[in-house]
Amino acid sequence: MGGPSAQSGQIEQDAHAVFLLHREKGVLPARQGKEAESYFTGEDKIIIAKQRSGPSGTHAKVRFDGPMAKWEER
């Protein structure tokens, strides 16, 4: 029996759909003794990497609603 890395391909092979979340990150430059800061831009995407009954390689533009802990179309 293989370890986790040997089984990782099996999950994708068995899945009917695989979705990936991409959260774009920006960087505020360092200034006046402060370090550079990173932040999420709100330009999130849900990418359809695999779908047995439809197109793959497409994406939906979404935004994250933190207080409700959900993504909504934008």
Side-chain angles (χ1 to χ4, degrees), residues 4-18:
S5 62
Q7 298 170 1
S8 63
Q10 191 67 37
I11 294 169
E12 185 177 344
Q13 186 176 0
D14 292 345
H16 289 275
V18 176

Side-chain angles (χ1 to χ4, degrees), residues 25-39:
K25 219 176 190 185
V27 177
L28 295 173
R31 60 181 187 275
Q32 295 182 359
K34 292 186 178 182
E35 293 183 24
E37 295 179 41
S38 63
Y39 65 95

Side-chain angles (χ1 to χ4, degrees), residues 33-62:
K34 292 186 178 182
E35 293 183 24
E37 295 179 41
S38 63
Y39 65 95
F40 291 110
T41 64
E43 303 289 321
D44 301 343
K45 291 182 198 173
I46 295 177
I47 302 165
I48 303 169
K50 176 186 175 184
Q51 184 175 206
R52 286 191 183 168
S53 60
S56 60
T58 60
H59 67 273
K61 293 180 179 181
V62 294

